[in-house]
């Protein structure tokens, strides 16, 4: 077929624009100003095809541009079928053509491309050149409409090979335009005369397309089946969206095999992306409910998926869809007539792909569930998978442009690499493709295509980096020496050849070397140990490389032997060194398998480095070098030449003569230092180790060999003959006392010399008379221990001097307290230490230690040793948990006995971690297997003591059942109550938190310390350090809990340093550690930032805050109630307390002391205002109480001026001056009098406001606790919708009329006709034509328009996306209409159907916002108003009240009243005797001026305060009965025989009239007359209107009713005639008074309610919470309309937004709370809400707020009412403007996001109320204008083509003559 080529002249420039340089290898491809949509890959060719807006690109595998085709923009409209003549579609515009579907047909070598334009028709292009069009439909029929014609609706498809032909399977969502009739899944032909047609092929038949609205995620195929993954909701039964996967056989062209089952990823949301691997369906789901941002990956095994589908198919084929339990587990979906059947049991096998007689389409009810294998923080938009090398790798693309590579290892997934692909924030397209080789991934974003390696193994240069990368596709190929894929490593299948990081954590390495180094002069063998060495083939070998020298390797298991290089092959040692280090590598060919360093040393070079001490340098070096003393050589062999001694290296272990200490050396000179020249002198030298030269003394100790040489002058040295050494020694060294001196070797000639300082000297050096032959008495310095048990056996250590020359001298020489003590031979040290074992002795024996060496007096110690008997007396505590950890104190006497003390509890040791004291041993118990008693014993050396009388009791471990609260400020100190069992068994319970802290926090916060600090004896137990540092860098902060009882612990939350992140909060009950979450039922402990409070004096914090007595203090701050409650906050002003009344997030209200308190602790002259929240203490500045203001005097300046003026003018105008002074004084007195009145008035109003506000805040706090228990009485959604849609029905549900006789047979056709009408409404053309036609009719009133709009809202409630589209179109038309008139008038009223549709649409979309955000402050405001109104008298006849905001409703007279508290009997016996025990007494607050009906209303409000109003009994169905004593029952009523009637005025009875006292008992009893039961049932089913005040027309025989004041609208003459003289006087006095004096009541009421009004406005106008998407979407649309029509005036846009949202919805909600809540709203509350709503209206206007004096206002708009909020309105205006500005600056709400939200709303409220009734009433309106509507449909050419008129006629034929509702 000939192909059209639009825009061909542009093709060449575009080609030139996109062609890159010819030789570059691109890693990504992008095109300027082009948005990419889809990506396809030709399998054999590797060519890539990119579908974009208005373009198709053909790329090489390396992303080089090969060809480009232009596909748009085109003249088109989604409302028109494809046309040739532009006149056929006048609304056509130049439209971008978004690519919706891009597929490759390999068999035909064709590219299938479907765009958005022309109702989604497709074309075929050549694979070799995408610019060549193979087929393009000239005049496509509706059977060729393939893709969705809206860019936000997904279309997916597959090209599958059927026998002899290719078929196209296409699935798409509902676009809401002309192509809405296209089924969601179709099979289409690719070849033949009508390509892309579905004629004669399978279509997924759907009863009502918009009911299901499938949103497709992906389409996949394997060898047998095609799978489609999507989201949808069910028709009626299933309200929420769910995730599904559907399957059809590849050869099934009729879709008989269609089966779908739900998918769930445990705890997650809807499916977002998917991919099918050969064995698994990988699916990405949105994170769990609650709008959490993120995603989860679930893996569904394909076998389980197919098994689930086969199970559903079998049940639907053979068991009617019911499982073994009888529940429905499979059904036929999509509203078709087919049903599950009971075919023979072998039918599933006989018809594996279904047949004409099998049910279809089948939907399984039982979801296939999987656990998430991975959680991610960003939403996932694309998934691809790869099975390679036996592993499954998932590639996840997120919405921020990041690509994550995930290894699916069993049931867990792990991200091993993430990288940014494309621009930041640009989502990755679902078309994530892996090339045919599996080596590269093609990633598509809206701006570019990237080619990313699947695995970047070559970039890792060594084995360590390769394995540390943890890339499951990479491993270290040992014999190739590189990081490779497994398939690239030739021997990967063999052991140890290819190392994989998930199995092998160690690279090949040299584990050991033998020897570790080698002498360079010798060639030898080195053995390397290399574990897990790969095995080589027969003809392959390893070799060793020592630097550049190669040596063959001999392999035996893990050991490799190599020969070292000869000396001439080694490099020279660097100058000044004794070795050279070379790299040693085990090589395979030229690959280093393992490597290390190896050193070659040179012993002769070692000797040369140390000329003065060559022997010491030789044998003390790093190398195994030995010294040959006679030949003076340093050698590396085994020993020196024959006959020469050897000094071996210090590294030798089995020889005596080794190391530097064995070298021959001269230690000193014994003779004179001066040697004369020319004279032979003899020198005496002290030398050592000269036996190497033939001189061998028997022993040589403490000697020093030194070289001898002669110098001339200072620097000239004479040559020595052979090297000359002498050995020097010193008798005194090491022999500090006589015994050790006499024990020295006799050849040294050492004697103990008493000359001068006694010391050990060389004999000739001591004068002859000074030599001591006998040693002095032994000296004892210290002994330890000083005590021991009577049993003896204690090892006693004696330190001192002259304690014997050898063991024989002390063998029987030691006595301890007179008892022999046997020395221990192995522990004896000559003269210095004796260790002996004590003998038994009686308890209490004490005495010194004696050491008596023979022939000498005994040495006696100054310290005494005591034999004492340790006694165990008691334990504390007596019990502890079996988990151990109890700090056990063993009390007794003489417990500090002996040196080695050990404690045991039962068979377990009890470690002693603190110093043992004489009367106490502290140890810590170990865990025990089971509870029970355990005997405590203590071992003192060899003696043992047991405490039998008081065993330790191991109890069951304490159990924690509850812990609350679970939040605290970081400053800590909040009281935590812990409940459980056995809590008192813990000796020292702690609440601890582990913290991850920075180094600075750790340094400042704690020192490493044992959690149980030690203490010394007698000192009190040290308090635990607040924070201690643990191993691993953690910080532990703890507080000690107080044991309240066995079931209650009281803990204070630990303080947490700033910058530290809590990781674990837990309780430590000795050895039992319980996480806080486990104790609190799963609630984690949360630390909130510390609160911040503003200083009292905001402008100047240092200045005192001036406080008027009686004022309530309002302190502003942030985060005040996040971590504490009102009751826990303490506020002090000096030494007085400011009682906290209310605590909110940003405000703290407290009532200060009435008199100024004194400063606390002398903190200054003024008291400080201090807020204490746990440990957080905030000082907010000084407070100064103001005294009563004195009467202001006349200004001094004025008096001086007057005096001077009088002095100057006194002579001329004396008389005038006197008159002036007289007048001035009179004016001054009047001024001061008025000023005093006004000040008193202001103080009175202020005091009343503060008192009322405090009282109200207390009441609202009680309300908050009530709301937590019962919740806010929101209307259910259906009632809410009906009240908003049909306000004229008073909120009662629209009940269908009962059917008349004979109508039973008509029900079926009528229902069928109404269903067809519902389907017809889904045609946008029909619906728009219907709306326009109805609005054009002159008889179609405004009321009719609102009614039809609400009927349409009901009928289309389940298709909100479609309803929104209709509303957008109508709003666009409305804007076009008003632009030519006055744009500011648009949406000002509700005159058209679209305006009512907008009202209903906003009500639907904002219901959730009302319930979650704005509803609570609005309800609290309503309750606050009701509470304030009820506290003052309200006239039951005129409706005027003392407490109101509305000027016209103000009760201006002073009415005396008294509050009363009635005790109301509530319960099953409330109607019986007063003393009935079964009835509960509930207090109720009323006024003595209340009428009986008012009392009943207040009592019902307080008794049923947690019950919705519709579920309460009616006030008219109950009587109030006053009970006094046992028999006194009096029924009270508004009017009875006791009512006072005077001058034709009857006063309603009040409690005052009946003289009911305070505290009286009353009961509510059912009325026995006036049809009370009927009234009650009415009240329960449908709330009646509020009690309307009884106005003056309530006359009975000329008698008029009054309550508090008499109505004043009668003629003056009549009033004068009927009034007494006293009454007339009173009237005249009242007329003289200033009427505005009563307006202070309005001010008082306004000040009291101000906070609640502010909170309500803030909730409505705040953007701190996310703005509802519907508001953002609507405002964006209005911005678009303004831009489209060139409206640049910001005021117009402000008015549009105000009219559409604030005035249309929120004002209605403020004025009519019964639209939202199930509550009683009195007329007075209504009047107050009207004033607040008018304030809101004034705040939304752009014009300046003016307060005039005109008298034509409605009551809420009167000058007084305007004046009330005149100061606040500018602030509210700023809030409105900031609200609009913030919404405009926020990110735009996309069409897809709005559709998703609307779909969710449709799902939430699917069962819209009374849909068929709405359709019936809608048809009645159509019937009225039937002919006009038919004409309009027939005149429209598109309507003719779609046969809309005919379809309406069919509806009429079925519904006509229907006279009763269904």
């Amino acid at each position: 077929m000939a192909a059209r080529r639009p825009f061909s002249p542009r093709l060449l420039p575009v080609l030139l624009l996109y062609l890159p340089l010819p030789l570059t290898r691109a890693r990504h491809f992008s095109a300027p100003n082009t948005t990419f949509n889809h990506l396809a890959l030709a399998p054999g060719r590797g060519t890539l095809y990119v579908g974009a807006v208005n373009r198709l690109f053909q790329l090489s595998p390396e992303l080089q541009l090969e060809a480009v085709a232009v596909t748009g923009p085109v003249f088109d409209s989604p409302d028109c079928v494809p046309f040739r003549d532009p006149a056929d579609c006048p609304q056509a515009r130049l439209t971008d053509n978004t690519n919706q579907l891009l597929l490759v047909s390999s068999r035909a070598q064709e590219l299938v491309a479907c765009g958005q334009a022309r109702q989604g028709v497709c074309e075929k292009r050549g694979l070799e050149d995408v610019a060549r069009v193979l087929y393009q439909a000239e005049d496509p029929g509706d059977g060729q409409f393939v893709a969705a014609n809206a860019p936000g609706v997904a279309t997916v498809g597959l090209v599958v090979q059927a026998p002899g032909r290719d078929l196209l399977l296409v699935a798409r969502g509902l676009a809401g335009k002309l192509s809405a009739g296209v089924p969601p899944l179709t099979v289409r032909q690719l070849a033949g005369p009508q390509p892309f047609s579905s004629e004669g092929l399978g279509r997924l038949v759907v009863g009502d397309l918009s009911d299901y609205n499938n949103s497709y995620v992906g389409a996949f195929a394997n060898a047998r089946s095609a799978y489609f993954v999507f989201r949808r909701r069910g028709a009626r039964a299933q309200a929420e969206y769910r995730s599904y996967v559907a399957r059809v056989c590849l050869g099934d062209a009729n879709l008989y095999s269609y089966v779908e089952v739900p998918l769930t990823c445990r705890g997650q949301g809807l499916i977002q992306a998917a991919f099918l691997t050969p064995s698994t369906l990988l699916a990405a789901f949105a994170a769990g409910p609650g709008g959490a941002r993120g995603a989860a990956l679930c893996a569904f095994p394909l076998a389980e998926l197919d098994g689930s589908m086969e199970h559903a198919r079998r049940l639907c084929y053979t068991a009617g869809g019911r499982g073994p339990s009888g529940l429905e587990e499979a059904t036929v979906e999509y509203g078709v007539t087919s049903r599950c059947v009971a075919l023979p049991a072998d039918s599933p096998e006989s018809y594996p792909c279904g047949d004409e007689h099998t049910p279809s389409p089948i939907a399984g009810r039982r979801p296939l569930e999987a656990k998430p294998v991975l959680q991610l923080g960003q939403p996932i938009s694309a998934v691809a998978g790869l099975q390679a090398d036996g592993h499954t790798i998932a590639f996840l693309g997120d919405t921020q442009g990041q690509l994550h590579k995930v290894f699916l290892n069993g049931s867990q997934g792990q991200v091993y690499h993430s990288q940014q692909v494309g621009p930041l924030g640009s989502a990755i397209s679902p078309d994530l493709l892996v090339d045919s080789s599996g080596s590269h991934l093609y990633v598509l974003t809206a701006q570019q295509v990237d080619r990313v390696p699947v695995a970047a193994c070559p970039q890792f240069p060594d084995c360590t980096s390769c394995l540390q990368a943890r890339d499951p596709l990479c491993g270290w190929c040992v014999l190739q020496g590189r990081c490779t894929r497994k398939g690239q490593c030739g021997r990967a299948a063999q052991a140890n050849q290819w190392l994989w990081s998930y199995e092998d954590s160690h690279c090949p390495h040299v584990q050991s070397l033998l020897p570790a180094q080698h002498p360079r002069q010798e060639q030898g063998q080195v053995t390397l140990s290399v574990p897990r060495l790969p095995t080589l083939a027969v003809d392959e070998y390893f070799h060793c490389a020592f630097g550049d020298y190669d040596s063959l390797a001999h392999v035996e298991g893990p050991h490799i032997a190599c020969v070292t290089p000869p000396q001439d092959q080694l490099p020279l040692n660097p100058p000044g060194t004794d070795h050279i280090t070379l790299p040693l590598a085990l090589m395979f060919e030229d690959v280093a398998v393992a490597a290390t360093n190896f050193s070659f040393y040179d012993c002769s070079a070692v000797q040369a480095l140390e000329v003065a001490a060559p022997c010491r340098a030789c044998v003390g070096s790093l190398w195994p070098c030995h010294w040959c003393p006679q030949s003076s050589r340093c050698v590396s062999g085994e020993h020196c030449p024959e006959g020469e001694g050897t000094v071996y290296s210090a590294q030798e272990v089995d020889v005596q003569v080794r190391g530097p200490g064995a070298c021959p050396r001269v230690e000193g000179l014994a003779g004179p230092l001066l040697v004369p020249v020319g004279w032979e002198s003899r020198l005496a030298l002290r030398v050592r180790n000269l036996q190497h030269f033939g001189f061998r003394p028997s022993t040589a100790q403490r000697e020093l060999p030194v070289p001898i040489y002669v110098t001339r002058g200072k620097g000239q040295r004479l040559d020595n003959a052979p090297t000359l050494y002498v050995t020097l020694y010193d008798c005194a060294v090491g022999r500090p006392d006589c015994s050790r001196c006499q024990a020295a070797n006799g050849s040294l000639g050492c004697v103990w010399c008493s000359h001068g300082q006694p010391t050990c000297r060389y004999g000739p050096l001591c004068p002859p008379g000074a030599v001591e032959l006998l040693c002095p008495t032994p000296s004892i310095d210290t002994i330890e221990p000083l005590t021991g048990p009577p049993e003896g056996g204690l090892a006693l250590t004696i330190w001192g001097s002259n304690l014997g020359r050898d063991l024989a001298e002390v063998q029987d020489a030691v006595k301890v307290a007179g008892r022999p003590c046997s020395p221990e031979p192995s522990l004896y040290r000559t003269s210095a230490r004796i260790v002996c074992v004590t003998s038994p002795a009686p308890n209490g024996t004490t005495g010194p230690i004696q050491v008596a060496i023979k022939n000498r007096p005994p040495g006696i110690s100054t310290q005494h040793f005591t034999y004492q008997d340790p006694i165990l007396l008691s334990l504390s505590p007596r019990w502890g948990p079996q988990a151990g950890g109890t700090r056990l104190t063993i009390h007794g006497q003489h417990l500090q006995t002996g040196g080695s003390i050990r404690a045991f509890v039962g068979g377990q040791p009890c470690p002693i971690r603190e110093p043992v004291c004489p009367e106490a041993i502290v140890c810590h118990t170990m865990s025990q297997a089971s509870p029970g008693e355990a005997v405590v014993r203590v071992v003192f050396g060899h003696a043992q003591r047991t405490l039998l009388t008081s065993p330790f009791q191991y109890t069951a471990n304490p159990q924690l059942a509850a812990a609350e609260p679970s939040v605290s400020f970081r400053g800590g100190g909040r009281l935590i109550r812990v409940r459980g069992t056995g809590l008192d068994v813990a000796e020292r319970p702690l609440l601890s938190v582990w913290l991850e802290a920075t180094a600075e926090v750790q340094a400042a916060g704690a020192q490493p310390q044992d959690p149980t600090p030690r203490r010394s004896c007698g000192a009190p137990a040290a308090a635990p350090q607040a924070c201690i540092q643990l191993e691993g860098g953690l910080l532990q902060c703890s507080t000690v809990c107080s044991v309240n009882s066995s079931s209650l612990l009281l803990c204070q939350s630990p303080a947490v340093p700033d910058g530290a992140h809590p990781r674990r909060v837990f309780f430590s009950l000795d050895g039992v550690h319980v996480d806080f979450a486990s104790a609190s039922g799963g609630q984690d402990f949360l630390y909130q930032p510390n609160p911040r409070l503003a200083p009292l004096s905001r402008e100047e914090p240092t200045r005192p805050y001036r406080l008027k007595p009686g004022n309530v203090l309002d302190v502003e701050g942030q985060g005040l109630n996040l971590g504490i409650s009102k009751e826990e906050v303490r506020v002090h002003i000096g030494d007085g307390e400011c009682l906290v009344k209310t605590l909110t997030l940003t405000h703290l209200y407290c009532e200060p002391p009435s008199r100024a308190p004194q400063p606390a602790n002398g903190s200054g002259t003024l008291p400080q205002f201090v807020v204490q929240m746990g440990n957080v203490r905030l000082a907010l500045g000084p407070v100064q109480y103001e005294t009563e203001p004195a009467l202001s005097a006349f200004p001094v300046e004025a008096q001086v001026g007057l005096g001077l003026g009088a002095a100057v003018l006194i002579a001329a105008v004396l008389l005038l001056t006197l008159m002036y002074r007289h007048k001035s004084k009179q004016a001054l007195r009047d001024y001061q009098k008025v000023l005093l009145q006004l000040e008193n008035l202001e103080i009175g109003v202020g005091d009343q406001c503060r008192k009322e506000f405090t009282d109200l805040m207390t009441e609202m706090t009680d309300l908050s606790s009530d709301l937590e228990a019962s919740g806010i009485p929101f209307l259910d959604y259906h009632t809410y919708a009906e009240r908003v849609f049909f306000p004229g029905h008073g909120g009662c549900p629209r009940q269908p009329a009962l059917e008349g006789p004979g109508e039973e047979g008509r029900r079926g056709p009528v229902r069928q006709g109404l269903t067809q009408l519902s389907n017809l409404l889904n045609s946008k053309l029909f619906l728009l034509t219907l709306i326009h036609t109805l609005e054009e009719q002159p008889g179609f009133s405004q009321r009719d328009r609102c009614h039809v709009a609400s009927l349409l809202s009901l009928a289309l409630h389940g298709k909100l996306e479609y309803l929104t589209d209709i509303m957008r179109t109508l709003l666009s038309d409305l804007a076009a209409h008003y632009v030519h008139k006055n744009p500011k008038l648009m949406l000002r009223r509700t005159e058209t159907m679209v305006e009512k549709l907008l009202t209903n649409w906003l009500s639907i979309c904002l219901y959730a916002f009302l319930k979650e955000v704005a509803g609570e402050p609005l309800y609290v405001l309503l309750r606050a108003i009701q509470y304030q109104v009820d506290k003052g008298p309200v006239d039951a006849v005129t409706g005027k009240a003392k407490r109101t905001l509305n000027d016209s409703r103000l009760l201006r007279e002073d009415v005396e009243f008294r509050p009363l508290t009635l005790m109301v009997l509530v319960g099953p016996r409330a109607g019986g005797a007063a003393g009935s025990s079964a009835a509960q007494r509930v207090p109720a607050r009323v006024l003595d001026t209340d009428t009986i009906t008012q009392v009943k209303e207040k009592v019902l409000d307080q008794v049923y305060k947690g019950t919705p109003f519709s579920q309460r009994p009616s006030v008219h169905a109950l009587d109030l009965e006053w009970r006094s004593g046992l028999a006194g029952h009096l029924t009270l009523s508004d009017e009875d025989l006791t009512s006072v009637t005077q001058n034709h005025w009857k006063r309603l009875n009040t409690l005052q009239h009946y003289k009911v006292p305070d505290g009286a008992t009353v009961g509510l009893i059912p009325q026995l007359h006036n049809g009370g039961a009927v009234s009650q049932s009415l009240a329960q089913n449908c709330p009646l209107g509020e009690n309307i005040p009884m106005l003056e027309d309530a006359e009975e025989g000329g008698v008029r009713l009054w309550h508090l004041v008499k109505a004043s609208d009668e003629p003056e003459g009549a009033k004068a005639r009927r009034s007494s003289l006293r009454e007339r006087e009173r009237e005249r006095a009242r007329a003289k008074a200033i009427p505005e004096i009563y307006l202070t009541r309005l001010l008082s009421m306004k000040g009291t309610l101000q906070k609640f009004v502010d909170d309500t406005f803030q909730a409505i106008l705040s953007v701190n919470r996310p703005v509802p998407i519907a508001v953002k979407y609507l405002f964006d649309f209005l911005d678009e309309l303004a831009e489209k029509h060139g409206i640049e005036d910001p005021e117009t846009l402000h008015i549009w937004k105000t009219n559409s949202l604030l005035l249309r919805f929120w004002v209605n909600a403020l004025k009519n709370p019964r639209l939202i809540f199930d509550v009683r709203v009195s007329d007075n509350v209504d009047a107050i809400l009207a004033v607040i709503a008018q304030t809101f209206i004034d705040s939304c206007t752009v014009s300046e707020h003016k307060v005039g004096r005109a008298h034509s206002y409605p009551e809420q708009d009167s000058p007084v009412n305007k004046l009330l909020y005149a100061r606040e309105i500018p602030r509210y205006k700023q809030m409105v403007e900031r609200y609009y500005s913030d919404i405009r600056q926020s990110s735009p709400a996309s069409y897809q996001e709005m559709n998703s939200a609307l779909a969710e709303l449709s799902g939430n409220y699917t069962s819209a109320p009374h849909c068929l009734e709405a359709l019936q009433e809608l048809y009645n309106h159509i019937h009225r204008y039937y002919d006009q509507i038919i004409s309009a449909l027939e005149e429209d050419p598109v309507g003719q083509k779609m046969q809309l008129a005919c379809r309406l006629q069919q509806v009429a034929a079925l519904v006509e003559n229907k006279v009763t509702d269904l």
Side-chain angles (χ1 to χ4, degrees), residues 757-820:
Q757 179 71 28
T759 185
C760 190
R761 295 186 182 181
Y762 178 56
L765 298 177
C766 184
V771 176
E772 297 286 348
L773 299 178
L774 287 177
C775 287
T777 300
S779 171
I780 300 173
D781 297 331
T782 60
I783 60 173
E784 79 179 32
L786 294 173
T787 59
E791 291 93 334
L794 179 74
L796 179 71
T797 303
I798 304 167
W799 295 94
S801 59
N802 288 316
L803 300 180
R805 290 183 293 179
D806 52 33
L807 184 64
E809 282 194 342
V810 299
Q811 192 62 50
D812 298 313
V814 184
K815 287 189 177 180
V816 175
R819 296 290 190 275

Side-chain angles (χ1 to χ4, degrees), residues 1249-1290:
C1249 266
R1250 287 187 288 274
K1251 184 175 181 306
E1252 295 286 344
F1253 180 74
T1254 305
D1255 189 20
L1256 180 59
M1257 290 307 296
T1258 306
E1259 176 69 19
M1260 290 300 105
T1261 305
D1262 297 340
L1263 171 64
S1264 299
S1265 59
D1266 292 343
L1267 292 184
E1268 288 178 8
S1270 61
I1272 297 173
F1274 284 106
L1275 292 174
D1276 64 273
Y1277 177 73
H1278 290 170
T1279 311
Y1280 164 79
E1282 295 242 2
R1283 289 191 182 184
V1284 172
F1285 291 1
F1286 305 104
H1289 289 72

Side-chain angles (χ1 to χ4, degrees), residues 1543 1610 1612-1624 1627:
N1543 293 337
E1610 60 183 328
E1612 282 294 328
K1615 183 186 293 184
R1617 284 194 303 273
R1618 292 164 56 178
S1619 298
S1620 66
L1621 180 63
R1622 183 177 296 173
E1623 286 175 336
R1624 286 200 297 273
E1627 287 291 335

Side-chain angles (χ1 to χ4, degrees), residues 816-865:
V816 175
R819 296 290 190 275
C821 192
S822 306
E824 182 70 30
S826 61
L827 299 176
Y828 174 73
R829 295 288 179 268
T830 301
S831 181
R833 182 183 76 183
I834 302 172
V835 179
C836 65
V837 179
T838 60
S839 303
N843 179 33
T845 303
T846 184
I849 282 75
Q850 294 183 1
V851 179
I853 306 298
K854 56 187 176 180
N855 304 326
R856 279 179 277 171
I860 301 174
S861 66
T862 58
Q863 295 172 296
H864 284 218
F865 181 88

Side-chain angles (χ1 to χ4, degrees), residues 231-307:
R231 309 181 292 265
R232 73 160 173 83
R233 63 167 183 260
R236 294 287 180 204
Q238 180 191 325
E240 76 280 3
Y241 271 70
R242 297 175 70 180
S243 306
Y244 289 83
V245 59
R247 184 191 71 182
V248 294
C249 292
L250 285 188
D252 177 16
N254 298 300
L255 300 184
Y256 295 142
S257 59
Y258 184 96
V259 186
E260 68 180 37
V261 292
L263 294 180
T264 59
C265 185
R266 189 174 303 166
Q268 308 303 317
L270 291 176
I271 195 165
Q272 305 297 317
F275 187 84
L276 186 69
T277 70
S279 62
T280 309
L281 176 69
L282 300 176
F285 288 75
R293 184 172 175 82
L297 181 69
C298 267
F300 299 89
L302 198 56
E304 291 184 22
L305 182 62
D306 286 335

